[in-house]
Amino acid sequence: MEKPMVPVKKYQSNLAYSSGIQAYLYSQPLMKMATIMQKHTSHTPLNKFNHHRDLVDHTFSEFVSPNNDTLYSFAWLDLTNGPIELSIPAIKNRYFTFQFLDMYTNVYGYIGARMENKNGGTFLIIGTDYKGSIPKNRDVIKSPHNMTWVIGRTLIDGPKDLNAVHDLQDQYLLKPYKKNEKKTPTYLPYLSESEYKDPKKYFSNVAHLMKMYPPLPEDRALLPQLEQVGIDYKNGTMKDSNSATMDGLKRAVMDAEEIILNSRNDVGHLVNNWTIHYENIGEFNEHYLFRAITAQFGIGANLTQEAMYPRALLDSKGRPLMGENKYVLHFEKDELPKVNSFWSLSMYGANQLFVRNPIDRFSIGDRTEGLTYNEDGSLDIYIQGSSPVRKESNWLPSPTSEKFNVVLRMYLPKQEVTNGTYKLPGIKKVNEC
């Protein structure tokens, strides 16, 4: 007796669903990068710096999980028509870094305090198509694509330090390597995050972007799954699909977003309910889920050698951090973050942006003016929605009635941090301390 045939439409829908989830996880960082680029170029031309002149606060929404320790200097470099020169002055006794990301959010280069090139100079940023000559002894950074995101961070010690950092930013200069090269516009369709739920529009944009910014060599094994759902990335188009395939893709887009949202604690290592990543961040290779999570909740993350970002969504007993509760993060003297530069603890709401509060404090750390240590050298940080009595110097304000999360930034972490020997203490609810 012959086995009954599986209905074609169900088969097609399920096949599209399976491949569609992988295609969405793979492509979401590319879409995020292109969306950020469009926001940037709406107010700043390509190949020009947008220097943030003030410390980031709750009004900032250009991307998620910003820091409050540095002033940013952002630039999107279009290398289609030739290299771009980046000039940086010599910077003494101040942390700074310029981070280079490809269009899939991988970090491929640095200039900064940790590097041999920390004394500044003029650097040549080269795209994939450049065939011209390069002067000998010139510092070169080669991008995997003809578009790259540069994130500059310059340490600032509060408002009193603004003028000094502004003076440095004014010396960060970009210019074409060859003056006679003409600029041609880079066409992108308008990218709206509201279209992410429409599989036809979403994957059509993905195909267009992948033609402009080709997949990396390590992605070869996944590419047939993208072709399976109709993504013709070589020609930059989305093939017409039948209703069963579109039904599967619609389900895939919705469920892939849910996977990203709920998998934050499933990747990395959970230590005292801090999620910590010791490897792969910024160099994701085939770890597409991790890459998508990072793009959603911390795009532009540094390599672990540069900075580490343990994130806590849970208290010491595994319960979500809630604004109606009061918490204490207690560091024994020998538990203070082990860094070669500095550390800070930042507060984020459910949208991964800073939380508005009455004292305009969005992070607290070893450089916070007035931070008070206990007599034995230990440190208590009070995390709550209302001001702690006589302890405001050590207060990190939280929302008053919703979930939140905190990120501990450790800049230039020591070896015991990067190898996992150092253990962060858990965040304790006040009445359970």
Side-chain angles (χ1 to χ4, degrees), residues 294-339:
T294 305
Q296 185 93 313
F297 298 106
I299 196 166
N302 279 293
L303 301 182
T304 55
Q305 306 97 292
E306 190 72 31
M308 290 185 69
Y309 309 97
R311 185 186 297 271
L313 297 92
L314 309 172
D315 68 13
S316 59
K317 294 193 174 182
R319 299 163 300 198
L321 296 171
M322 301 297 298
E324 55 263 30
N325 298 328
K326 298 179 179 180
Y327 302 93
V328 171
L329 176 58
H330 175 78
F331 293 101
E332 294 292 346
K333 183 179 181 179
D334 60 356
E335 285 182 332
L336 291 166
K338 313 296 184 183
V339 294

Side-chain angles (χ1 to χ4, degrees), residues 43-97:
H43 53 72
T44 305
L46 291 166
N47 304 332
K48 297 290 184 182
F49 271 121
N50 174 26
H51 297 300
H52 286 216
R53 299 295 198 173
D54 295 300
L55 286 161
V56 171
D57 61 16
H58 64 281
T59 64
F60 180 87
S61 61
E62 190 165 330
F63 61 87
V64 295
S65 301
N67 82 63
N68 193 244
D69 306 301
T70 69
L71 290 194
Y72 286 111
S73 296
F74 297 116
W76 284 89
L77 305 186
D78 182 0
L79 306 170
T80 307
N81 292 286
I84 299 294
E85 286 188 341
L86 167 60
S87 296
I88 300 170
I91 300 175
K92 304 295 184 182
N93 303 318
R94 184 187 295 271
Y95 173 85
F96 78 100
T97 183

Side-chain angles (χ1 to χ4, degrees), residues 106-121:
N106 298 291
V107 180
Y108 67 87
Y110 276 103
I111 301 167
R114 176 176 60 88
M115 310 297 291
E116 292 182 0
N117 55 28
K118 63 184 177 182
N119 293 322

